[in-house]
Structures are given as C-alpha cells and as structure tokens.
Amino acid sequence: AQSVTQLGSHVSVSEGALVLLRCNYSSSVPPYLFWYVQYPNQGLQLLLKYTSAATLVKGINGFEAEFKKSETSFHLTKPSAHMSDAAEYFCAAPNQAGTALIFGKGTTLSVSS
Amino acid sequence: DGGITQSPKYLFRKEGQNVTLSCEQNLNHDAMYWYRQDPGQGLRLIYYSQIVNDFQKGDIAEGYSVSREKKESFPLTVTSAQKNPTAFYLCASSIHSQMNTEAFFGQGTRLTVV
C-alpha cells in the first residue's frame, strides 16, 4: 500500500540556516509527490510537485525538492531560512487507487532569530 | 477570484447534534475531497467525489455523510454517530480525479463539540 512518512515532527533552525524536511514514500509504481505548507488555522498551499518531468523540482518561496527513486525519498530543502517559513509542512502522494492524496503526519518548522 | 470557500470558519456543536459543513468551489473542478486534521495525525481522508452524484468513502468515513448534487458543492454532515468530531476539517478539489495534479484547499472549518 502507498504510504508517506515524514521523519521528524519538529525541526528547528536559525534564520539563514539550511532547511531540510524529510519525506519517504513507499510504492511499486512511479509516484506523483507533493509538498504543501500550512500556516496556523489556514488551509494547505502547494509548494511544489513532482510529476516525473525532472528529479529536481523548484517551488515557491525558494523551496526545492529532489526525487530520489533509489532512496524512495523526496526531501524538501531551502538554502536559507526566513522567519516567515515557520509553518507546518506536509508531504503527499496519491493513494493506491490514484483517487485521492494521502499525507504524511507533517513537520512543524520553527525558525529562530 | 477562483477558489474554494468553506463555511463557517468556526462551528460549535452540542453532543448528539448533526452539523453540516459547507464547501463550494468555482474552479470548475471535477473532483472534491474532505479531510480531517488532528494534531500530529496529518490529514485523513473522509470522503471524496470524482463526479457529480457520485462519492466514495475514504479511510475514516464512519459518522460522516456527504452529497454531491452540484459540481461546485460538496457539503459534509458530521452526524451524532461520530464519536470524536472535534477537529479541523479541510475541503479540497482537483481538476480531475487522477492525482497527477495538485489538490487545492479551502481555509478550513474548526469544529468543536461543547
């Protein structure tokens, strides 16, 4: 069955430091993968998506993610954290039937000055 | 502006009552979804609809019901059978039901049982 695992429920970085949020997926077929961001009491906003066109995907707000099939990973990175990046981040992939997205449990990113 | 509108933003329910959460989209999307979000649990799929007049149970459908009479509307009813309804509910839509395209989300409804 398809599943998405986010390693680390909380990540703390200093402003200007590298951001790395980890996501691993399980599937026997090439996936479509997504990263979403959620600010408090709001809906989810798409950061970026992988749809087999390129393994390195660039998204909004300076974020990018690299699809690594050998590692079944799709980690999210940003070279330099801003205070405004503090939010909850979700990795998502289609369910086995391809009819809806399934989500990881989320990683809360804290950014300190 | 196109988007997904959920209402109300906050909702309080007495135990034993049914409540209905509204979700409207003007994106002309075929597929719509309801998710429940609890702290540390991520998003869990309640129901989804791929076309008008059709919907399917998700992973946690017990205690919930939906309808899809119009393309733009997908209301969710939380029934008295739902044992622990306090949560943040998110509605989403996608252009079609094949999940190689992203889902767009509303701003959510926070339901509290009092």
Side-chain angles (χ1 to χ4, degrees):
Chain A
Q2 177 71 305
S3 69
V4 175
T5 303
Q6 291 184 241
L7 300 176
S9 58
H10 289 87
V11 170
S12 296
V13 300
S14 299
E15 195 171 21
L18 172 70
V19 175
L20 172 60
L21 305 181
R22 300 178 186 272
C23 174
N24 288 89
Y25 66 92
S26 66
S27 177
S28 60
V29 298
Y32 299 99
L33 294 162
F34 305 84
W35 274 101
Y36 283 86
V37 61
Q38 183 183 35
Y39 298 99
N41 292 311
Q42 294 190 23
L44 275 66
Q45 179 183 5
L46 181 71
L47 276 177
L48 50 81
K49 62 182 178 182
Y50 168 74
T51 57
S52 305
T55 56
L56 182 63
V57 182
K58 294 188 183 298
I60 62 171
N61 301 337
F63 284 93
E64 62 182 35
E66 186 172 8
F67 173 72
K68 292 187 176 181
K69 185 175 181 179
S70 61
E71 299 177 7
T72 60
S73 69
F74 190 56
H75 301 332
L76 182 71
T77 60
K78 182 174 180 177
S80 176
H82 295 164
M83 297 294 286
S84 60
D85 295 327
E88 189 160 19
Y89 293 80
F90 292 94
C91 184
N95 62 10
Q96 196 162 16
T99 52
L101 289 180
I102 57 172
F103 287 83
K105 293 190 175 182
T107 298
T108 299
L109 175 65
S110 300
V111 182
S112 58
S113 57
Chain B
D1 284 336
I4 301 175
T5 302
Q6 290 188 242
S7 61
K9 189 172 178 63
Y10 299 95
L11 185 58
F12 297 89
R13 189 196 95 170
K14 293 182 179 179
E15 289 196 21
Q17 283 184 338
N18 293 354
V19 290
T20 297
L21 284 59
S22 171
C23 178
E24 303 277 333
Q25 55 100 357
N26 61 4
L27 300 168
N28 199 33
H29 285 176
D30 285 333
M32 298 187 73
Y33 313 86
W34 275 104
Y35 289 90
R36 170 179 171 144
Q37 185 178 16
D38 297 282
Q41 295 295 316
L43 279 70
R44 293 181 290 168
L45 182 66
I46 305 173
Y47 269 97
Y48 63 97
S49 169
Q50 296 175 294
I51 56 172
V52 176
N53 293 320
D54 184 62
F55 49 83
Q56 305 296 327
K57 292 182 179 180
D59 300 318
I60 56 165
E62 184 176 354
Y64 300 98
S65 65
V66 293
S67 63
R68 185 88 187 275
E69 297 176 0
K70 298 185 296 182
K71 187 175 185 178
E72 60 269 24
S73 179
F74 191 40
L76 173 74
T77 297
V78 184
T79 75
S80 58
Q82 170 49 237
K83 300 302 182 190
N84 184 20
T86 294
F88 191 51
Y89 290 87
L90 287 160
C91 179
S93 70
S94 62
I95 192 165
H96 52 66
S97 60
Q98 305 212 1
M99 295 311 299
N100 57 350
T101 59
E102 67 265 33
F104 293 81
F105 283 81
Q107 293 298 295
T109 293
R110 186 166 298 281
L111 173 63
T112 303
V113 174
V114 296

